[in-house]
């Protein structure tokens, strides 16, 4: 299992581990993303997250309720890594994957790897989660508006007033969340140009809700 530091937390604050998947040459493109999101989770939702690097291996994924995989550029999983991630999700873990900055090389490659891992086809990975999906309707963390960055809106690609995150369902729950649109850079909270993704507030809210859902329901 991932190693986390000893820490004393105030009463009423939950603690959970988030694994940052070390796959690809640029697996941590925005180190400030989880620092900021962690502060929001602690202040607003009484959840402390220990964010630790993990490899796609059974021993390192054990006990980690949420694993986040992001990056830029083409990526490739080995057969052993695919098997570990498939077993991780089957065992109750949640995997969230997004293309940092909306990088299309990463999005295409990660989608192909998810298809190979979970038995679908590229372009048919899971289903788009509707705006009324439970992950967007959490008590105290409801998301009613989905906004995108101007750089993406200017390109007019797809429906731009609804969420486009895709979900793969396993054992009656969404075990994999996949977004070709950026979430990671959005969690830094800055209106940076050149990003193909959700507006910072929306990106932060989506990854926040996935984290709250995964850490609440995990069997890890």
């Amino acid at each position: 299992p991932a190693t986390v530091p000893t820490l004393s937390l105030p009463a009423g604050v939950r603690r959970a581990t988030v694994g940052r998947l070390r796959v690809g040459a640029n697996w941590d493109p925005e180190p400030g993303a989880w620092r900021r999101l962690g502060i929001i989770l602690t202040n607003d939702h009484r959840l402390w997250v220990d964010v630790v690097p993990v490899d796609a291996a059974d021993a390192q994924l054990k006990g980690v309720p949420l694993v986040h995989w992001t990056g830029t550029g083409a990526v490739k999983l080995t057969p052993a890594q695919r098997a570990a991630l498939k077993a991780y999700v089957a065992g109750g873990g949640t995997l969230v994957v997004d293309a940092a900055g909306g990088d299309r090389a990463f999005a295409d490659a990660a989608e192909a790897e998810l298809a190979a891992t979970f038995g679908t086809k590229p372009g048919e990975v899971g289903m788009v989660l509707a705006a009324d999906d439970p992950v967007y309707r959490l008590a105290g963390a409801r998301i009613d508006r989905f906004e995108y960055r101007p750089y993406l809106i200017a390109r007019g690609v797809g429906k731009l007033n609804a969420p486009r995150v895709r979900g793969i369902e396993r054992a009656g729950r969404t075990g994999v969340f996949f977004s070709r649109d950026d979430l990671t850079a959005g969690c830094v909270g800055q209106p940076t140009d050149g990003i193909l993704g959700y507006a910072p507030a929306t990106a932060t809210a989506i990854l926040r809700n996935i984290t709250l859902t995964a850490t609440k329901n995990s069997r890890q």
Side-chain angles (χ1 to χ4, degrees):
T3 301
V4 297
T6 301
L7 184 67
S8 179
L9 296 175
V13 176
R14 294 191 299 122
R15 186 177 186 182
T17 301
V18 172
R20 289 283 295 100
L21 192 64
R22 290 184 290 207
V23 173
N26 189 25
W27 61 271
D28 192 20
E30 292 287 359
W34 274 102
R35 286 198 293 267
R36 177 174 175 269
L37 183 56
I39 292 170
I40 291 170
L41 288 165
T42 301
N43 289 346
D44 296 347
H45 302 282
R46 308 291 286 171
L47 173 65
W48 175 278
V49 289
D50 294 297
V51 182
V52 298
V54 295
D55 297 319
D58 293 337
Q60 294 199 32
L61 300 176
K62 184 178 180 181
V64 179
L66 176 66
V67 169
H68 180 206
W69 182 20
T70 190
T72 59
V75 289
K76 186 74 174 175
L77 296 174
T78 67
Q81 288 173 324
R82 290 177 190 158
L85 290 173
K86 185 175 182 179
Y88 167 73
V89 172
T94 298
L95 175 65
V96 55
V97 184
D98 81 293
D103 184 83
R104 290 318 187 218
F106 179 92
D108 291 344
E111 184 173 24
E113 290 300 329
L114 291 176
T117 300
F118 295 99
T120 62
K121 297 178 180 179
E124 299 177 6
V125 172
M127 299 289 291
V128 175
L129 300 175
D132 61 355
D133 187 88
V135 76
Y136 303 131
R137 292 293 181 262
L138 299 184
R142 183 183 174 101
I143 306 174
D144 290 312
R145 296 182 64 185
F146 297 88
E147 298 181 332
Y148 293 82
R149 292 187 186 252
Y151 189 73
L152 180 60
I153 293 171
R155 279 148 183 77
V157 180
K159 192 174 182 179
L160 295 175
N161 61 355
R164 306 197 299 196
V165 176
R166 303 183 74 88
I168 298 176
E169 187 171 306
R170 289 293 183 273
R173 70 182 184 93
T174 302
V176 180
F177 295 88
F178 172 60
S179 178
R180 297 179 65 89
D181 304 309
D182 171 83
L183 297 172
T184 296
C187 287
V188 178
Q190 299 298 318
T192 309
D193 195 17
I195 301 293
L196 295 168
Y198 294 92
T202 300
T204 301
I206 290 173
L207 197 50
R208 175 202 66 196
N209 281 26
I210 291 172
T211 305
L212 291 171
T213 299
T215 57
K216 180 179 179 180
N217 297 335
S218 174
R219 301 195 304 273
Q220 287 288 314

